[in-house]
Amino acid sequence: MTADKQPDYGYVAGRDECRLAPYAAREGASRGRRFKEPQPNYRGEFQRDRDRIVHSAAFRRLEYKTQVFVNHEGDMFRTRLTHSIEVAQIGRAVARVLGLNEDLTEAIALAHDLGHTPFGHAGQDALNACMKDYGGFEHNLQSLRVVDKLEERYAEFTGLNLTFESREGILKHCSTKRAKALGELGERFLAKRQPTLEAQLANVADEIAYNNHDVDDGLRSGLIGIEGLYEVPVFHEQYERVRASYPGLSQRRTTHEVVRRMINRQVTDLIEATRERLVVVGSADGEAVKRAAEPLVGFSEEMAAQNHALKHFLRHNLYQHYRVRRMSAKAGRIIKALFDVFVNDRRMLPPEAQEKLHALERKGDAAGRARAVSDYIAGMTDRYAIKEFERVFSPTHLT
Ligand code: MG
């Protein structure tokens, strides 16, 4: 077959979107990028967003950032990188079934945690406390800051210059005060409108991923036990079934089988409950679903309650476990100590961070200086933050 007779199997702008549901996000209806760029040749716009995210430095650093377990505690636990891949996997699977835009869902899922500090929520709380007088720190806003301002990879613009829809999906929540300062991206919070269904989906996929992998990692670490999880209906139900079908199965395989089924049960519920809500919407377009009072992508009432019970259990038994609290306290002290030392003496920062500090300080004085230090710390991985702490504070550590 000659080249000109070769059927076009690849990407054709517009063609792939014919398969989408009427309420899915479409590139043709995109509000575009902040800096105008020519259309990509062999990819869609949301695919290009996804690719830029995957190639970013912040994305690579997710490998050494964690949520509950600090990176050096073991190679078996999830990192933010593997978590983000799980979110993208769940998101894409559901998007395909519902006729939503898979590429946009994937881009949002892969970018949603880019702004996280080292040491998970303990790190974020500590940095937020340090930034109290300078506008605070919020990982969600930081993710947006990473893709809009902090990545330096392109000749023509600062940041990744993602489409409006990817950026909107990254900014899950936002206070009214902050929304006012955000321009077009803040509009929906002020008008109390929903984001795209793809953004709603990435949000629920995030929850499914972390709740279930925290059960898995929690059991593996020994911080929580099967007996405790028995009070959680979504676990109990699947555990009983697995035990009945495979009575002699090892504990490890039983756990994996149960977690696998829990994810499947939640994803199935999410698809079915969302479908029911979307039937009501009918052939409405993406703009119409944004006017709904509540997000349309979500669990049934029954599964929402079960999910709540699972979250409640994890909050009290895993995230508040004394060993996790000790690590969180240490993490908080590391973040605070680094913040104080750099804010008080910028010359202790590496040259590149000093340059950024000067640029921000010119714009915003003390707040600019604090924001530059916050950017530097937020960008650290767990292990980099620990090393930096040693380099700065250990008398026996050279430089
Ligand atoms: Mg997440």
Side-chain angles (χ1 to χ4, degrees), residues 206-311:
D206 181 26
E207 240 185 72
I208 296 176
Y210 69 68
N211 283 329
N212 288 289
H213 65 50
D214 284 353
V215 168
D216 190 12
D217 286 351
L219 285 168
R220 180 187 288 276
S221 67
L223 297 187
I224 54 175
I226 300 280
E227 324 70 52
L229 272 162
Y230 239 71
E231 67 187 66
V232 180
V234 70
F235 180 89
H236 187 177
E237 184 186 299
Q238 301 306 327
Y239 188 76
E240 285 299 313
R241 283 190 191 161
V242 173
R243 295 297 282 175
S245 305
Y246 309 98
L249 200 62
S250 73
Q251 197 58 57
R252 173 164 294 186
R253 284 175 68 166
T254 303
T255 302
H256 289 158
E257 185 64 32
V258 172
V259 171
R260 177 178 90 82
R261 288 173 184 225
M262 281 166 63
I263 295 174
N264 192 38
R265 172 91 179 76
Q266 290 180 314
V267 169
T268 304
D269 180 274
L270 172 65
I271 291 169
E272 290 169 3
T274 303
R275 235 183 206 159
E276 273 178 38
R277 286 185 210 111
L278 289 173
V279 166
V280 180
V281 174
S283 57
D285 66 6
E287 275 310 300
V289 297
K290 291 180 187 172
R291 289 193 290 269
E294 298 286 330
L296 295 167
V297 180
F299 295 126
S300 65
E301 253 177 59
E302 187 212 339
M303 183 53 77
Q306 290 205 7
N307 201 45
H308 182 77
L310 174 58
K311 282 169 104 158

Side-chain angles (χ1 to χ4, degrees), residues 67 80 83-84 87 109 112-113 116 172 206-207 210:
Q67 312 196 92
R80 281 203 187 271
H83 161 69
S84 301
V87 177
H112 85 282
D113 268 356
H116 262 289
K172 273 192 288 198
D206 181 26
E207 240 185 72
Y210 69 68

